């Protein structure tokens, strides 16, 4: 029998009173995806996702208590905070888990949450100034506890590159399939959804790929700049400023940034801006000119040309095809 090829590790955080159904459901979902990937794979080692479970030990350390493929050092590319079984006002603060998440994020791990798991991510401080989603019933509590976070419960999944938040208590299926699509491809994601008799995540049925930044390259100085660009929407991306944040001479910064990310800083910033513009076109009725200004383009004509180059569609056509608000208006009409 061919030894499976581990493509990545996903860590699941078992914090106090979290929803174990999500922990075990995600564990099963990733295993099923791996089995289906093996059926679709060509000759060679079939790809699998390594799944690990993490708890807080008596001494406060976060330790692994389950490993689907033991024997290797841990290096999770994604970690997930599942829903809670108690209301947010009864959720205890978890500084140890928050510190663990922050440390992993600094090393390139993508942080994920489902439902009230966003409260655990909120304690890291990494969501400040960003958009995040949680259960609609928790929106006011979340906004009060973390006033610096832009709460958007109208969206099921908010993928901000290095941090992904999912909304409802059963949105772990949306998040799980989103990660399967990222790691094993759309064919395996769709096969997994069909096998489990669940709908694919709406954002992953779209015809155009979304920007997924490289975060696990190991260059900590460049990673800090990536986090800065993601958190600020790349509105400020002057090379001198970015090089200064990385503590490098400009030529060295440009070389290392491209080596780590595969893109020049300007192109990287454009990808982030275009991702924000696409979300605005999908989820709001704001005029294209306003969206262009909001994501950092003063010239709407230049924005339209760039948007078409990145997506293959003009902003108006993109909104007609994928805009949720436009679809609702059409139905009402």
């Amino acid at each position: 029998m061919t030894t499976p090829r581990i493509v990545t590790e996903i860590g699941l955080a078992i914090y106090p009173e979290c929803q174990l159904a999500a922990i075990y459901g995600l564990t099963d979902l990733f295993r099923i995806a791996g089995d289906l990937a093996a059926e679709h794979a060509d000759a060679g080692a079939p790809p699998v996702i390594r799944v690990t479970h993490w708890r807080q030990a008596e001494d406060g350390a976060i330790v692994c208590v389950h490993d689907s493929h033991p024997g290797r050092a841990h290096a999770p590319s994604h970690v997930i905070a599942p829903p809670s079984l108690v209301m947010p006002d009864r959720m205890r603060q978890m500084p140890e888990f928050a510190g663990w998440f922050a440390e992993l994020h600094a090393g390139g791990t993508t942080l994920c949450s489902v439902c009230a798991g966003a409260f655990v991510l909120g304690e890291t401080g990494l969501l400040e100034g960003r958009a995040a989603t949680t259960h609609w019933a928790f929106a006011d509590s979340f906004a009060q506890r973390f006033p610096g976070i832009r709460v958007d419960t109208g969206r099921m999944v908010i993928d901000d590159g290095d941090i992904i938040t999912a909304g409802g208590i059963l949105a772990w299926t949306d998040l799980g399939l989103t990660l399967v699509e990222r790691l094993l491809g759309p064919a395996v994601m769709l096969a997994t959804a069909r096998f489990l008799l669940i709908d694919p995540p709406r954002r992953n049925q779209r015809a155009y790929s979304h920007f997924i930044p490289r975060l696990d390259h190991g260059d900590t100085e460049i990673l800090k700049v990536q986090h800065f660009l993601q958190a600020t929407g790349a509105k400020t991306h002057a090379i001198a400023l970015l090089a200064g944040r990385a503590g490098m001479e400009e030529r060295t910064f440009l070389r290392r940034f491209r080596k780590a990310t595969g893109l020049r800083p300007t192109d990287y910033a454009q990808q982030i801006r275009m991702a924000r513009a696409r979300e605005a076109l999908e989820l709001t009725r704001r005029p294209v000119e306003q969206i262009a200004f909001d994501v950092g383009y003063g010239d709407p004509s230049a924005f339209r040309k760039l948007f078409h180059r990145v997506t293959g569609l003009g902003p108006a056509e993109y909104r007609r095809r994928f805009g949720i608000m436009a679809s609702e208006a059409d139905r009402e009409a």
Side-chain angles (χ1 to χ4, degrees):
M1 183 176 179
T2 305
T3 302
R5 171 174 55 89
I6 297 174
V7 295
T8 195
E9 176 184 349
I10 296 180
L12 307 177
I14 306 178
Y15 62 83
E17 299 192 270
C18 74
Q19 185 194 57
L20 295 178
I23 295 290
Y24 296 117
L26 284 165
T27 301
D28 291 343
L29 186 151
F30 293 134
R31 176 176 175 174
I32 290 167
D35 291 342
L36 293 170
E39 295 178 7
H40 287 78
D42 297 328
V48 298
I49 296 174
R50 180 186 185 186
V51 180
T52 50
H53 298 177
W54 299 80
R55 286 185 185 271
Q56 183 178 341
E58 291 185 3
D59 63 359
I62 308 300
V63 298
C64 180
V65 295
H66 168 79
D67 191 341
S68 64
H69 295 80
R72 302 185 187 183
H74 294 292
S77 65
H78 298 74
V79 291
I80 302 174
S84 172
L85 289 178
V86 300
M87 297 295 286
D89 58 355
R90 293 172 51 201
M91 290 177 67
R92 67 187 77 174
Q93 292 189 334
M94 290 170 259
E96 292 82 6
F97 269 107
W100 182 65
F101 278 123
E103 182 180 355
L104 289 172
H105 181 261
T109 299
T110 297
L111 306 185
C112 310
S113 68
V114 183
C115 195
F119 286 78
V120 183
L121 291 195
E123 291 186 35
T124 67
L126 296 170
L127 284 171
E128 289 293 309
R130 299 199 188 196
T133 189
T134 184
H135 194 289
W136 62 267
F138 305 155
D140 290 343
S141 298
F142 192 75
Q144 290 173 7
R145 188 177 301 184
F146 306 108
I149 301 173
R150 291 182 286 116
V151 186
D152 185 353
T153 55
R155 297 153 69 181
M156 183 63 74
V157 176
I158 296 180
D159 185 346
D160 206 17
D162 57 333
I163 300 178
I164 306 173
T165 54
I169 195 167
L170 293 180
W172 58 264
T173 61
D174 297 272
L175 176 63
L177 291 175
T178 296
L179 297 183
V180 168
E181 200 259 355
R182 267 193 182 196
L183 300 167
L184 299 177
V188 174
M189 183 274 288
L190 290 170
T192 304
R194 283 194 294 267
F195 183 85
L196 294 173
L197 299 180
I198 56 179
D199 292 332
R202 187 179 192 281
R203 62 183 298 119
N204 284 326
Q205 296 186 79
R206 299 182 180 137
Y208 305 100
S209 61
H210 288 254
F211 175 52
I212 301 175
R214 297 181 189 173
L215 301 170
D216 56 354
H217 44 69
D219 191 327
T220 56
E221 286 77 17
I222 296 301
L223 185 64
K224 290 177 184 177
V225 174
Q226 289 177 268
H227 288 163
F228 167 76
L229 289 170
Q230 203 77 48
T232 60
K235 291 184 178 180
T236 303
H237 60 277
I239 300 301
L241 171 68
L242 300 180
R245 293 188 72 89
M248 300 177 192
E249 187 268 337
E250 288 186 28
R251 184 177 298 178
T252 301
F253 168 73
L254 288 169
R255 175 178 56 80
R256 283 177 56 177
F257 190 94
R258 182 150 194 172
K259 179 181 178 182
T261 68
L263 295 170
R264 296 176 301 176
T266 300
D267 295 333
Y268 191 97
Q270 285 180 347
Q271 289 287 351
I272 292 176
R273 290 177 170 194
M274 289 299 105
R276 300 288 175 91
R278 289 168 68 159
E279 290 182 349
L281 289 166
E282 294 162 7
L283 301 168
T284 76
R285 293 193 179 97
R286 294 207 306 273
V288 171
E289 293 77 9
Q290 182 63 49
I291 292 173
F293 179 80
D294 290 344
V295 300
Y297 293 95
D299 183 351
S301 177
F303 166 76
R304 286 185 171 90
K305 291 178 181 178
L306 179 59
F307 190 90
H308 190 279
R309 191 168 79 223
V310 171
T311 68
L313 296 172
E317 176 62 18
Y318 186 91
R319 171 173 271 163
R320 278 194 294 271
R321 290 197 185 187
F322 303 122
I324 294 173
M325 299 300 289
S327 298
E328 290 177 351
D330 291 344
R331 287 196 297 270
E332 290 171 0

